[in-house]
């Protein structure tokens, strides 16, 4: 299934490589349509990937979308009706092509490396814990930190893939990457506070 999806995504990327006047921006809604399904895990994967791209304002908008999806998971729901502003979020043709190739590569590697194992971590009773984890990662993505979206975004991508493939090991790796993201945010915060205090000392505040 995922091999066919990867091929479909690469075909879409080829269309994005068309001359600029014929290529059209790709939206989150169209990405979901290419997947042929709108499950929460797929939506999480897509929003996490888009949040890591250097598109102005995308991380802020998507952090709210991820937070809303986390709320749905906490209520035991696996789907989310996307607000129009979020579903209409689009990329220019160049980044659309890169995103599609990146997704295809991700699914091809996931097909090789991921498999059902340690499925207790994928049990429906753990959804509350993973929903809380998604909310924490969304908060990190929202913070205006340099490269601060990379680790939480990667954590959420691994979470989405782990849930899709029922792979508990991928979920554990997701928590490790996310914990590194938390550590990074705390370190940057400490540095910012120290710099502010030093500046205050120099200026006599």
């Amino acid at each position: 299934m995922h091999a066919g999806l990867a091929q479909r995504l690469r075909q879409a990327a080829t269309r994005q490589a068309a001359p600029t006047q014929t290529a059209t921006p790709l939206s989150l809604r169209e990405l979901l349509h290419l997947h042929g399904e709108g499950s929460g895990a797929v939506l999480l994967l897509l929003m996490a990937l888009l949040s890591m791209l250097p598109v102005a304002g995308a991380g802020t908008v998507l952090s709210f979308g991820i937070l809303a999806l986390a709320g749905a998971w906490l209520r035991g729901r696996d789907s989310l009706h996307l607000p129009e502003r979020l579903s209409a979020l689009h990329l220019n043709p160049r980044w659309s092509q890169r995103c599609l190739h990146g997704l295809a590569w991700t699914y091809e590697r996931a097909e090789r490396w991921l498999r059902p194992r340690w499925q207790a971590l994928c049990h429906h009773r753990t959804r509350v814990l993973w929903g809380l984890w998604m909310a924490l990662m969304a908060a990190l993505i929202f913070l205006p930190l340099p490269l601060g979206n990379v680790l939480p975004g990667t954590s959420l991508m691994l979470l989405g893939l782990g849930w899709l493939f029922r792979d508990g090991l991928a979920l554990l790796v997701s928590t490790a990457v996310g914990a590194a993201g938390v550590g990074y945010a705390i370190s940057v915060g400490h540095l910012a506070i120290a710099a502010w205090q030093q500046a205050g000392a120099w200026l006599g505040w």
Side-chain angles (χ1 to χ4, degrees):
M1 178 183 71
H2 294 95
L5 174 58
Q7 182 179 6
R8 199 156 64 238
L9 292 170
R10 291 200 185 279
Q11 290 171 349
T14 301
R15 292 193 294 271
Q16 290 294 324
T20 305
Q21 61 268 26
T22 60
T24 57
L26 187 70
S27 68
L28 179 56
R29 182 190 297 110
E30 290 164 335
L31 273 175
L32 279 172
H33 180 72
L34 284 171
H35 282 75
E37 57 179 308
S39 73
V42 170
L43 181 57
L44 176 63
L45 177 65
L46 295 179
M47 290 195 293
L49 174 63
L50 294 176
S51 73
M52 292 189 288
L53 299 180
V55 178
T60 301
V61 174
L62 289 164
S63 67
F64 287 107
I66 295 168
L67 187 60
L69 182 58
W73 275 46
L74 289 171
R75 293 190 297 272
R77 289 163 37 201
D78 191 41
S79 61
L80 174 69
H81 178 69
L82 288 177
E84 182 60 29
R85 182 183 178 188
L86 183 58
S87 60
L89 183 70
H90 64 269
L91 305 172
N92 62 39
R94 184 184 66 169
W95 280 109
S96 296
Q97 184 183 10
R98 292 181 179 180
C99 180
L100 289 165
H101 279 305
L103 281 170
W105 181 89
T106 297
Y107 284 122
E108 288 165 350
R109 295 304 179 274
E111 192 75 31
R112 293 182 185 180
W113 298 336
L114 303 185
R115 63 182 185 274
R117 55 188 162 184
W118 300 4
Q119 295 188 53
L121 293 172
C122 307
H123 195 274
H124 68 88
R125 292 181 180 176
T126 66
R127 290 177 64 92
V128 171
L129 295 177
W130 294 120
L132 292 172
W133 185 255
M134 288 162 56
L136 175 59
M137 294 299 102
L140 292 182
I141 291 172
F142 177 78
L143 294 175
L145 302 176
L147 301 177
N149 294 3
V150 175
L151 289 173
T154 302
S155 173
L156 292 176
M157 285 190 69
L158 288 167
L159 173 54
L161 287 171
W163 201 266
L164 280 174
F165 285 85
R166 317 307 293 174
D167 192 334
L169 179 58
L171 297 179
L172 285 180
V173 176
S174 168
T175 60
V177 174
V182 172
Y184 174 77
I186 292 173
S187 298
V188 172
H190 279 310
L191 288 174
I193 292 172
W196 179 262
Q197 291 174 338
Q198 188 66 42
W202 286 342
L203 297 174
W205 293 348

